């Protein structure tokens, strides 16, 4: 059983305002998001477009547990008041 977060090749995203990494990928439903994301909103979306998990990130390293979801491919979105980053 594994969950795959569809990410950029190195599982890290950088732009002018936000830098973060998601690991491991693929995973068993438990993974970490690392970066300067405190106060940003995290959403995980399934292939049908349904939001299956939402949380506000509070720390520079967050452990996310979605092991209760079926194995598959999910999209991750991190959004703050200035921008939205979607990883497909």
């Amino acid at each position: 059983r594994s969950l795959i977060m569809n990410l950029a090749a190195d599982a890290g995203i950088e732009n002018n305002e936000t830098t973060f990494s998601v690991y491991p990928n693929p995973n068993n439903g438990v993974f970490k998001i690392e970066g300067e994301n405190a106060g940003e909103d995290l959403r995980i979306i399934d292939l049908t477009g349904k939001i299956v998990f939402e949380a506000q990130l509070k720390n520079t390293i967050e452990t996310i547990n979605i092991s209760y979801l079926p194995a598959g491919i999910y999209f991750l979105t991190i959004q703050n008041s200035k921008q939205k980053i979607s990883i497909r």
Side-chain angles (χ1 to χ4, degrees):
R1 171 183 152 100
S2 69
L3 299 173
I4 298 171
M5 305 302 289
N6 195 359
L7 304 172
D10 67 355
I13 304 296
E14 293 187 34
N15 66 27
N16 292 342
E17 309 237 357
T18 301
T19 301
F20 67 92
S21 295
V22 178
Y23 58 90
N25 185 31
N27 59 65
N28 64 359
V30 179
F31 60 93
K32 293 187 184 289
I33 298 177
E34 183 174 354
E36 298 175 16
N37 305 311
E40 296 180 351
D41 295 319
L42 166 70
R43 287 190 179 132
I44 297 176
I45 303 162
D46 69 12
L47 289 175
T48 68
K50 180 182 175 187
I51 297 170
V52 295
F53 180 86
E54 289 184 279
Q56 185 174 64
L57 301 174
K58 295 182 170 89
N59 301 299
T60 56
I61 299 176
E62 291 275 352
T63 299
I64 306 298
N65 184 347
I66 56 170
S67 60
Y68 55 89
L69 293 175
I73 296 174
Y74 294 87
F75 302 101
L76 182 143
T77 299
I78 292 181
Q79 182 173 354
N80 63 27
S81 61
K82 296 180 184 177
Q83 65 184 349
K84 176 179 177 180
I85 299 172
S86 295
I87 303 170
R88 300 169 194 186

